[in-house]
Amino acid sequence: MSATQTAPAIAPRSERFKDLQKTLVLVKPDAVARGLIGNIVGRFETRGLAIRGMKLIQMDSSLAGKLYAPHEGKPFYNDLVSYMTSGPIVCLCVEGVNAIPIVRTMMGATNPVEAAPGTIRGDFAQRLDCNCVHGSDSPESAERELPIFFGEGEILSYDPAHTFKL
Ligand code: IDP
Ligand code: MG
């Protein structure tokens, strides 16, 4: 910065981070089987979101039932549970300012037919019942869903790389 430049005004931390959110992301069985874990996780990292929790698991129907309790009784519920328990998934706790709507936008429309190119579903998915990724749809959903997959001590905090002192 030259002597004539002034530093840009930066809002206080409490203001900048007031909308900091954690959200649940699942890389669904079809995406894991197709070798898309790195690409999907990488998109969140390059967007500037932080990975606070991550694990590879295979759900049983009881766990899938907890996640999808709001959909119980819908015509696609049984197929959804079968699909989500059919193979391993990657569970992520993703954090960032407005992480919940940002992740939903990055995922694209639920039906891949309507998902814009550049979104995860728009780039990788073809079918509504096999659409690569899950993301909490609201702060209330994130609060309900995250503890289904992450226990105490499994969501970790660390400074982002740009704060490292080299
Ligand atoms: P979302 O994953 O975009 O939040 P939801 O409405 O919460 O969408 O539905 C959960 C999942 O159930 C979807 O991602 C999709 O895989 C599946 N699903 C939703 N609606 C249908 C349907 O009408 N037929 C078959 N599967 C569906
Ligand atoms: Mg949903």
Side-chain angles (χ1 to χ4, degrees):
M1 194 186 301
S2 79
T4 56
Q5 280 179 311
T6 50
I10 296 176
R13 196 180 164 80
S14 56
E15 182 64 23
R16 279 181 288 137
F17 289 93
K18 74 177 166 37
D19 295 315
L20 194 66
Q21 296 175 333
K22 288 187 179 73
T23 189
L24 175 74
V25 173
L26 303 177
V27 182
K28 293 185 175 182
D30 58 313
V32 171
R34 289 166 59 204
L36 297 173
I37 297 171
N39 190 307
I40 292 172
V41 176
R43 287 174 180 231
F44 298 122
E45 285 192 294
T46 51
R47 184 69 189 258
L49 299 168
I51 309 300
R52 297 294 187 215
M54 179 157 72
K55 56 171 110 164
L56 181 74
I57 64 162
Q58 181 154 358
M59 288 198 282
D60 59 18
S61 47
S62 149
L63 198 65
K66 275 190 199 158
L67 174 66
Y68 286 120
H71 292 303
E72 207 177 342
K74 292 185 184 170
F76 59 87
Y77 176 80
N78 288 340
D79 287 344
L80 177 61
V81 169
S82 298
Y83 153 58
M84 289 299 290
T85 56
S86 67
I89 60 168
V90 171
C91 322
L92 302 163
C93 172
V94 173
E95 186 179 52
V97 173
N98 292 313
I100 295 168
I102 287 175
V103 165
R104 292 288 297 187
T105 303
M106 291 175 74
M107 286 164 51
T110 302
N111 188 342
V113 173
E114 287 146 21
T119 64
I120 294 166
R121 288 163 169 168
D123 287 349
F124 300 132
Q126 297 173 14
R127 289 168 41 176
L128 172 60
D129 58 351
C130 223
N131 57 5
C132 288
V133 71
H134 167 89
S136 306
D137 64 8
S138 65
E140 296 70 31
S141 296
E143 205 169 312
R144 186 185 75 80
E145 293 172 359
L146 278 167
I148 297 174
F149 294 90
F150 294 99
E152 256 180 65
E154 292 184 320
I155 293 179
L156 307 177
S157 199
Y158 50 87
D159 279 342
H162 65 267
T163 67
F164 284 1
K165 300 216 169 32
L166 299 174

